[in-house]
């Protein structure tokens, strides 16, 4: 399939962004989750500035990577493949069928999970701890999705400067 | 109440899958107002047993309910013995209608 220079350039840019965002998410993930994120950890957030800044970085990086993959990279890649674009959920279903995501439902639930990770907003430390721990457990899914998509793009030769 | 019978049936089945056969589901918020238009769907899931992974249960239930309701935005509030009882729970129980 021939993909125009603008589309290839857009894909290459998004690949670089996803690579950086994945790296940064993994770095923060390992700094926040040295053990299970317990209710006690959540209670410490108000007074422990360093921990709360790390958690905030985790949530921001987690959210950015998921949004870049789901809202940008997947639609651009579907477009490059000549697939019809639809609503977010339709694009995610198509990504699941193409083997890029393990489950569109899990992806959508992960988006909903993010609202519960904001410590100024969530008043029950049990919910906050549960949300952050669940987020940590979904990091491998995000990294796996980014790796799968990047491999797909690379195998099609779309990372090269000129069309093959 | 602005939810049709088929959607209610599917939401109740989802609540039973997520929270067990004893779980109860209430609709609250703007969808109770027959004169309003559109709006998010607010659900309260009441579970009589402690929930191991409450944030994930809420998130996955909201995502699946949104699918059932053709992509409408759904917010789920969970009431369970191991979850703090907040004003949102009181309001949802006071004004909510059991589905």
């Amino acid at each position: 399939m021939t993909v125009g220079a603008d589309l290839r350039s857009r894909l290459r840019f998004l690949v670089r962004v996803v690579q950086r965002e994945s790296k940064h998410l993994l770095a923060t993930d390992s700094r926040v989750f040295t053990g299970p994120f317990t209710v006690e950890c959540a209670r410490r957030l108000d007074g422990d500035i360093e921990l709360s800044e790390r958690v905030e970085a985790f949530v921001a990086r987690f959210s950015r990577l998921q949004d870049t993959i789901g809202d940008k990279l997947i639609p651009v890649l579907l477009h490059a493949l000549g697939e019809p674009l639809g609503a977010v959920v339709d694009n995610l279903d198509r990504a699941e069928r193409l083997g890029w995501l393990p489950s569109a439902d899990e992806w959508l639930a992960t988006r909903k999970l993010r609202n519960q990770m904001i410590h100024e907003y969530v008043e029950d430390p049990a919910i906050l701890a549960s949300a952050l721990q669940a987020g940590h457990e979904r990091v491998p899914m995000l990294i796996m999705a980014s790796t799968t998509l990047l491999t797909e793009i690379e195998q099609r030769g779309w990372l090269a400067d000129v069309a093959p | 109440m602005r939810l049709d019978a088929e959607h209610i049936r599917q939401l109740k089945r989802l609540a039973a899958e997520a929270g067990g056969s004893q779980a109860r589901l209430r609709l609250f918020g703007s969808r109770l107002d027959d004169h309003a238009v559109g709006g998010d769907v607010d659900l309260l899931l009441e579970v009589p047993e402690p929930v191991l992974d409450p944030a994930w249960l809420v998130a996955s239930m909201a995502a699946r309910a949104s699918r059932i309701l053709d992509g409408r935005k759904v917010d789920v509030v969970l009431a369970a013995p191991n979850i703090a009882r907040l004003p949102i729970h009181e309001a949802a129980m006071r004004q909510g209608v059991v589905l």
Side-chain angles (χ1 to χ4, degrees):
Chain A
M1 176 178 296
T2 308
V3 168
D6 287 351
L7 195 49
R8 290 162 65 91
S9 168
R10 176 78 177 145
L11 271 173
R12 287 209 305 274
F13 168 71
L14 288 172
V15 164
R16 292 194 299 274
V17 173
V18 164
Q19 283 171 329
R20 281 194 290 269
E21 287 180 343
S22 298
K23 187 175 125 195
H24 292 160
L25 174 61
L26 284 171
T28 305
D29 183 62
S30 66
R31 281 162 62 83
V32 173
F33 299 93
T34 49
F37 200 94
T38 61
V39 177
E40 284 314 306
C41 298
R43 288 208 174 94
R44 271 179 28 222
L45 284 173
D46 260 342
D48 187 336
I49 292 173
E50 194 177 331
L51 179 63
S52 72
E53 284 179 349
R54 281 184 192 182
V55 166
E56 192 150 330
F58 171 77
V59 175
R61 290 170 174 194
F62 185 96
S63 304
R64 278 205 295 271
L65 178 59
Q66 190 178 20
D67 288 345
T68 306
I69 294 172
D71 299 349
K72 296 181 179 149
L73 186 56
I74 285 175
V76 172
L77 187 52
L78 286 172
H79 178 55
L81 290 168
E83 294 267 345
L85 288 183
V88 171
V89 63
D90 298 326
N91 295 339
L92 293 174
D93 283 341
R94 207 160 282 124
E96 181 185 325
R97 279 201 297 278
L98 291 165
W100 299 345
L101 303 179
S103 156
D105 277 344
E106 185 175 2
W107 190 269
L108 290 164
T110 302
R111 284 180 79 132
K112 294 296 285 187
L113 184 69
R114 284 154 40 181
N115 302 337
Q116 302 175 81
M117 294 187 198
I118 311 297
H119 99 262
E120 292 88 346
Y121 183 74
V122 177
E123 293 190 302
D124 182 352
I127 292 283
L128 184 60
S130 162
L132 287 165
Q133 184 62 31
H136 167 60
E137 288 164 11
R138 264 89 205 162
V139 168
M141 176 190 72
L142 295 186
I143 299 299
M144 178 69 85
S146 68
T147 306
T148 306
L149 288 159
L150 268 44
T151 303
E152 174 85 28
I153 295 164
E154 190 174 16
Q155 284 177 348
R156 287 176 184 277
W158 291 338
L159 290 184
D161 275 339
V162 288
Chain B
M1 181 193 308
R2 290 177 298 122
L3 279 184
D4 67 40
E6 174 57 22
H7 284 154
I8 291 172
R9 190 185 66 75
Q10 291 185 47
L11 289 173
K12 285 172 73 169
R13 192 174 65 191
L14 174 61
E17 282 172 18
S21 59
Q22 299 300 306
R24 193 157 57 172
L25 190 63
R26 284 179 201 258
L27 175 73
F28 67 103
S30 65
R31 286 267 155 186
L32 285 178
D33 181 353
D34 290 333
H35 303 294
V37 177
D40 299 348
V41 177
D42 296 302
L43 297 171
L44 173 71
L45 179 68
E46 297 170 73
V47 181
E49 304 289 331
V51 174
L52 188 63
D53 207 354
W56 184 252
L57 185 136
V58 164
S60 58
M61 168 118 189
R64 291 169 69 195
S66 179
R67 282 244 194 205
I68 289 170
L69 299 172
D70 308 316
R72 286 191 192 89
K73 186 169 176 289
V74 177
D75 284 317
V76 174
V77 174
L78 174 67
N82 59 327
I83 301 301
R85 187 63 73 96
L86 299 170
I88 180 85
H89 296 98
E90 304 300 341
M93 285 194 192
R94 200 170 52 243
Q95 62 159 242
V97 171
V98 176
L99 296 180

